[in-house]
Amino acid sequence: MAALYCVLFAYVCSAGLGFLQFCNLNSFRTKFILGFSLFMGLSVPQYFNEYLLISGRGPVHTGATWFNNIMQLIFSSPATVAIMVAFFLDLTHSLRHSSTRRDSGRHWWSKFRNFDQDVRSEEFYSLPYNLNRFFPSF
């Protein structure tokens, strides 16, 4: 199981890093978002885990134990913290600049937004042996 976990984790990481090929990595905005989200993704979970280890409970103190546990679970995961920070910064940092859409790689993905407008899509995504009649696409 450990070997399978290592292989799958490596594959998921490489697929995630593959998406960076569409971003402009020479842009300060992209470098900042990438670096800051990786840093926060490593430091915030470390803080939450050490706080839990030392005090026996997480750093979130409300009257609802279930809410404290959910916050501990969310902020103890490095990937979750990094994704939340990167998503927030990507939506807010330099939003009105004209080069933001190009630097983030969104212009490349926009042509794949509408699946049904390309006549070749049905042929490319069809199932073999004419199984589309039993399993129609939506």
Side-chain angles (χ1 to χ4, degrees), residues 11-21:
Y11 184 73
V12 168
C13 287
S14 65
L17 290 174
F19 285 124
L20 290 176
Q21 69 180 330

PDB file of all heavy atoms in Angstrom, residues 11-21:
ATOM      1  N   TYR A  11       2.318  10.804  -9.171  1.00  0.00           N
ATOM      2  CA  TYR A  11       1.556  11.070 -10.392  1.00  0.00           C
ATOM      3  C   TYR A  11       0.663  12.299 -10.237  1.00  0.00           C
ATOM      4  O   TYR A  11       0.584  13.137 -11.140  1.00  0.00           O
ATOM      5  CB  TYR A  11       0.712   9.846 -10.761  1.00  0.00           C
ATOM      6  CG  TYR A  11      -0.017  10.014 -12.054  1.00  0.00           C
ATOM      7  CD1 TYR A  11       0.662   9.975 -13.263  1.00  0.00           C
ATOM      8  CD2 TYR A  11      -1.385  10.239 -12.071  1.00  0.00           C
ATOM      9  CE1 TYR A  11      -0.007  10.149 -14.457  1.00  0.00           C
ATOM     10  CE2 TYR A  11      -2.056  10.415 -13.254  1.00  0.00           C
ATOM     11  CZ  TYR A  11      -1.365  10.367 -14.441  1.00  0.00           C
ATOM     12  OH  TYR A  11      -2.036  10.553 -15.617  1.00  0.00           O
ATOM     13  N   VAL A  12       0.014  12.420  -9.104  1.00  0.00           N
ATOM     14  CA  VAL A  12      -0.847  13.581  -8.859  1.00  0.00           C
ATOM     15  C   VAL A  12      -0.020  14.864  -8.809  1.00  0.00           C
ATOM     16  O   VAL A  12      -0.412  15.896  -9.370  1.00  0.00           O
ATOM     17  CB  VAL A  12      -1.667  13.383  -7.559  1.00  0.00           C
ATOM     18  CG1 VAL A  12      -2.336  14.667  -7.129  1.00  0.00           C
ATOM     19  CG2 VAL A  12      -2.689  12.293  -7.755  1.00  0.00           C
ATOM     20  N   CYS A  13       1.131  14.808  -8.158  1.00  0.00           N
ATOM     21  CA  CYS A  13       2.011  15.992  -8.104  1.00  0.00           C
ATOM     22  C   CYS A  13       2.503  16.385  -9.482  1.00  0.00           C
ATOM     23  O   CYS A  13       2.540  17.563  -9.829  1.00  0.00           O
ATOM     24  CB  CYS A  13       3.195  15.732  -7.186  1.00  0.00           C
ATOM     25  SG  CYS A  13       2.756  15.733  -5.459  1.00  0.00           S
ATOM     26  N   SER A  14       2.886  15.404 -10.289  1.00  0.00           N
ATOM     27  CA  SER A  14       3.385  15.727 -11.623  1.00  0.00           C
ATOM     28  C   SER A  14       2.269  16.278 -12.516  1.00  0.00           C
ATOM     29  O   SER A  14       2.508  17.159 -13.335  1.00  0.00           O
ATOM     30  CB  SER A  14       4.024  14.502 -12.270  1.00  0.00           C
ATOM     31  OG  SER A  14       3.051  13.504 -12.488  1.00  0.00           O
ATOM     32  N   ALA A  15       1.056  15.781 -12.341  1.00  0.00           N
ATOM     33  CA  ALA A  15      -0.064  16.324 -13.116  1.00  0.00           C
ATOM     34  C   ALA A  15      -0.359  17.759 -12.696  1.00  0.00           C
ATOM     35  O   ALA A  15      -0.638  18.612 -13.535  1.00  0.00           O
ATOM     36  CB  ALA A  15      -1.304  15.454 -12.925  1.00  0.00           C
ATOM     37  N   GLY A  16      -0.276  18.031 -11.396  1.00  0.00           N
ATOM     38  CA  GLY A  16      -0.490  19.400 -10.917  1.00  0.00           C
ATOM     39  C   GLY A  16       0.576  20.350 -11.416  1.00  0.00           C
ATOM     40  O   GLY A  16       0.287  21.484 -11.809  1.00  0.00           O
ATOM     41  N   LEU A  17       1.817  19.896 -11.395  1.00  0.00           N
ATOM     42  CA  LEU A  17       2.897  20.743 -11.900  1.00  0.00           C
ATOM     43  C   LEU A  17       2.817  20.903 -13.416  1.00  0.00           C
ATOM     44  O   LEU A  17       3.293  21.889 -13.963  1.00  0.00           O
ATOM     45  CB  LEU A  17       4.253  20.167 -11.500  1.00  0.00           C
ATOM     46  CG  LEU A  17       4.582  20.265 -10.018  1.00  0.00           C
ATOM     47  CD1 LEU A  17       5.886  19.544  -9.719  1.00  0.00           C
ATOM     48  CD2 LEU A  17       4.664  21.707  -9.577  1.00  0.00           C
ATOM     49  N   GLY A  18       2.212  19.930 -14.085  1.00  0.00           N
ATOM     50  CA  GLY A  18       2.035  20.034 -15.535  1.00  0.00           C
ATOM     51  C   GLY A  18       1.135  21.190 -15.929  1.00  0.00           C
ATOM     52  O   GLY A  18       1.267  21.755 -17.011  1.00  0.00           O
ATOM     53  N   PHE A  19       0.201  21.559 -15.049  1.00  0.00           N
ATOM     54  CA  PHE A  19      -0.672  22.693 -15.339  1.00  0.00           C
ATOM     55  C   PHE A  19       0.090  24.010 -15.328  1.00  0.00           C
ATOM     56  O   PHE A  19      -0.365  25.001 -15.891  1.00  0.00           O
ATOM     57  CB  PHE A  19      -1.829  22.765 -14.354  1.00  0.00           C
ATOM     58  CG  PHE A  19      -2.888  21.739 -14.591  1.00  0.00           C
ATOM     59  CD1 PHE A  19      -3.263  20.870 -13.599  1.00  0.00           C
ATOM     60  CD2 PHE A  19      -3.511  21.646 -15.828  1.00  0.00           C
ATOM     61  CE1 PHE A  19      -4.241  19.918 -13.818  1.00  0.00           C
ATOM     62  CE2 PHE A  19      -4.485  20.700 -16.066  1.00  0.00           C
ATOM     63  CZ  PHE A  19      -4.846  19.832 -15.051  1.00  0.00           C
ATOM     64  N   LEU A  20       1.237  24.037 -14.707  1.00  0.00           N
ATOM     65  CA  LEU A  20       2.022  25.270 -14.666  1.00  0.00           C
ATOM     66  C   LEU A  20       2.631  25.617 -16.023  1.00  0.00           C
ATOM     67  O   LEU A  20       3.076  26.737 -16.225  1.00  0.00           O
ATOM     68  CB  LEU A  20       3.127  25.169 -13.619  1.00  0.00           C
ATOM     69  CG  LEU A  20       2.662  25.163 -12.175  1.00  0.00           C
ATOM     70  CD1 LEU A  20       3.850  24.960 -11.250  1.00  0.00           C
ATOM     71  CD2 LEU A  20       1.932  26.432 -11.844  1.00  0.00           C
ATOM     72  N   GLN A  21       2.647  24.670 -16.950  1.00  0.00           N
ATOM     73  CA  GLN A  21       3.217  24.964 -18.259  1.00  0.00           C
ATOM     74  C   GLN A  21       2.404  26.008 -19.024  1.00  0.00           C
ATOM     75  O   GLN A  21       2.922  26.647 -19.930  1.00  0.00           O
ATOM     76  CB  GLN A  21       3.330  23.682 -19.084  1.00  0.00           C
ATOM     77  CG  GLN A  21       1.994  23.109 -19.518  1.00  0.00           C
ATOM     78  CD  GLN A  21       2.160  21.849 -20.315  1.00  0.00           C
ATOM     79  OE1 GLN A  21       3.155  21.675 -20.995  1.00  0.00           O
ATOM     80  NE2 GLN A  21       1.186  20.961 -20.228  1.00  0.00           N
TER      81      GLN A  21
END
